[in-house]
Amino acid sequence: MNKIILSVFVAIGLATFTLTSCTKDQVAAAVGTVYDNRDSVVGTFNGTLVTTISGSAQISNKAVTVSKGSSGKLIITTGSDLTINTDIALGTKSNLTGSILQQDLTYNGNTASLIGKGIAGQHFVYTSNNNSFTYSATITQGNTTADIVFVGTK
């Protein structure tokens, strides 16, 4: 008799566990997908890079690739000439902005210092309604200072 009662309780417990358990797919669907606002800006933008040295502007067509960096930051790669690490990108998937903090880097094969130019928090701007991306920075290499501004679209 005890074996029958024990068997009934085990069967009820097993049935309850089976009916209330979730598959991995069900759990994933319940949790949902977390959207990273930087996903909208990732990609290649083609546009114009204006480099101004001592008041003289040079204009060139450039491809700029934006990728995700660590901890909410972005990496801006301009052609094969320049790779910039940004501060945290703020905003929504429709509009992102942020700062470019001072950093040492290699530019045209030489060591340089770079910092964002303009209003802090708006050194780079992405707008999804026209898929545009802009950034502005100042590069110092030895005694030479250059201001660069990129404007492009996907």
Side-chain angles (χ1 to χ4, degrees), residues 63-111:
V64 167
T65 302
V66 179
S67 57
K68 289 189 213 179
S70 63
S71 304
K73 300 175 182 182
L74 295 174
I75 300 168
I76 303 168
T77 305
T78 304
S80 61
D81 305 327
L82 185 62
T83 300
I84 301 169
N85 294 298
T86 74
D87 197 12
I88 297 172
L90 302 174
T92 66
K93 63 183 177 180
S94 299
N95 298 295
L96 287 176
T97 64
S99 293
I100 299 172
L101 302 178
Q102 175 138 5
Q103 56 200 278
D104 292 327
L105 44 79
T106 301
Y107 180 63
N108 291 332
N110 296 307
T111 302

